[in-house]
Amino acid sequence: MEEVTNVMEYEAIAKKKLPKMVFDYYASGAEDQWTLAENRNAFSRILFRPRILIDVSKMDMSTTVLGFKISMPIMIAPTAMQKMAHPEGEYATARAASAAGTIMTLSSWATSSVEEVASTGPGIRFFQLYVYKDRNVVAQLVRRAERAGFKAIALTVDTPRLGRREADIKNRFVLPPFLTLKNFEGLDLGKMDQASDSGLASYVAGQIDRTLSWKDVQWLQTITSLPILVKGVLTAEDARLAVQAGAAGIIVSNHGARQLDYVPSTIMALEEVVKAAQGRIPVFLDGGVRRGTDVFKALALGASGIFIGRPVVFSLAAEGEAGIKKVLQMLRDEFELTMALSGCRSLNEITRNHIVTEWDAPRAALPAPRL
């Protein structure tokens, strides 16, 4: 196998290695998959305005997220059922994130439990939460995450129903028989039965609470002291409501383009959300990040950090823990290079003036630079 030199190359390797049902589950988006392509394409329409002749011999990419110091603004998004990709699954992801000095978000639908992931050793971990119809299950799960040392809850708010992922319908997607949704084991909820379409879609229809509303974001705060990130915000209106509801942060996300097709890419929705949040809470982004240049563009538009999803499962399938480490390292190196070539030595030097987007007004004469 020739050397992997960028994050995208892992997808083709994963496709060769994984059963079709599993690869399709990870790779596909909703319906026409327009947003899936757009999550990537939109980054390519943002260009740099690099500043030159700045001493970039010393670089600092570190940042803090909800008060936790991490080595770089690149974190791991929640992705379900990672043991379908590799026997080590979420264990490998947890160790790779910890080694890279960054945050892992564990999915509710993980094939390893919160306790198992905690057992891999130290590390800053967030827990992604789906709200089940049975609120006792939710309260129990949140308590377990808290006890296992997880530091925040990422509440997914864009999934009252599962998006229409046609590959999963064709493949009659179901969790392989030797795996379970470990966080729900023993609760009669960890099973996903074969269905006439997607087993996961049927499972969601049966278990996930469609009545979920802003008052539940407040309810969640009564059962946990953990900060709550609202994941799945795409509009200024919802950003303002998230601030009002007491959210600790927002993740601009379209669920990897797996829910509603023809929503904008997350990078296009980002600036609207950032402006509405008015600096009161941090705004993060996931969706389509495959290059260090993408990370820089997100930060220039006001994101406090980004999360990667598919690159994690594809590299996990290809090379296990070593693959995820390599993805994090490649993104880190590319991001550092982008910063240096743009004339930024630390994250707070990355500004909106370092990029130009198609919606920017033509630049009038800017004030003359002072040396």
Side-chain angles (χ1 to χ4, degrees), residues 282-301:
V283 175
F284 305 96
L285 170 140
D286 70 32
V289 174
R290 300 291 180 272
R291 284 279 188 193
T293 48
D294 300 334
V295 180
F296 186 100
K297 289 169 185 180
L299 268 61
L301 285 167

Side-chain angles (χ1 to χ4, degrees), residues 9 30 74 105 112-113 126 144 165 175 187 190 214 231 235-236 241 244 248 250 256 268 336-337:
E9 289 173 357
I74 301 163
T105 317
S112 315
S113 68
F126 293 173
R144 282 172 54 200
R165 306 163 192 176
L175 188 61
L187 290 171
W214 287 106
K231 176 179 181 288
T235 63
L241 289 170
Q244 280 166 31
I250 287 169
M268 296 303 260
E336 184 178 37
L337 183 60

Side-chain angles (χ1 to χ4, degrees), residues 11 14 32 58 86 117 209 216 286 319:
E11 183 165 352
D32 300 328
K58 290 191 181 63
H86 188 278
V117 167
D209 194 342
D216 297 298
D286 70 32
E319 290 172 8

Side-chain angles (χ1 to χ4, degrees), residues 93-150:
T93 307
R95 288 191 295 255
S98 185
T102 192
I103 293 166
M104 170 197 184
T105 317
L106 181 71
S107 171
S108 272
W109 295 337
T111 37
S112 315
S113 68
V114 288
E115 294 84 3
E116 289 172 330
V117 167
S119 77
T120 61
I124 305 154
R125 306 192 178 101
F126 293 173
F127 180 68
Q128 175 271 334
L129 181 68
Y130 282 118
V131 177
Y132 280 61
K133 289 173 182 171
D134 182 344
R135 292 306 170 88
N136 292 328
V137 166
V138 178
Q140 224 179 307
L141 202 49
V142 169
R143 267 199 303 276
R144 282 172 54 200
E146 224 168 330
R147 270 205 304 273
F150 284 67

Side-chain angles (χ1 to χ4, degrees), residues 2 9 14 18 34 51 58 87 89 110 123 175 186 203 206 215 221 228 233-234 251 268 271 283 289 337 342 353:
E2 54 201 90
E9 289 173 357
L18 291 172
W34 182 85
R51 300 303 307 274
K58 290 191 181 63
L175 188 61
Y203 176 80
K215 69 178 185 323
Q221 291 167 70
I228 293 160
V233 173
L234 292 170
I251 304 174
M268 296 303 260
E271 197 163 30
V283 175
V289 174
L337 183 60
S342 297
N353 286 329

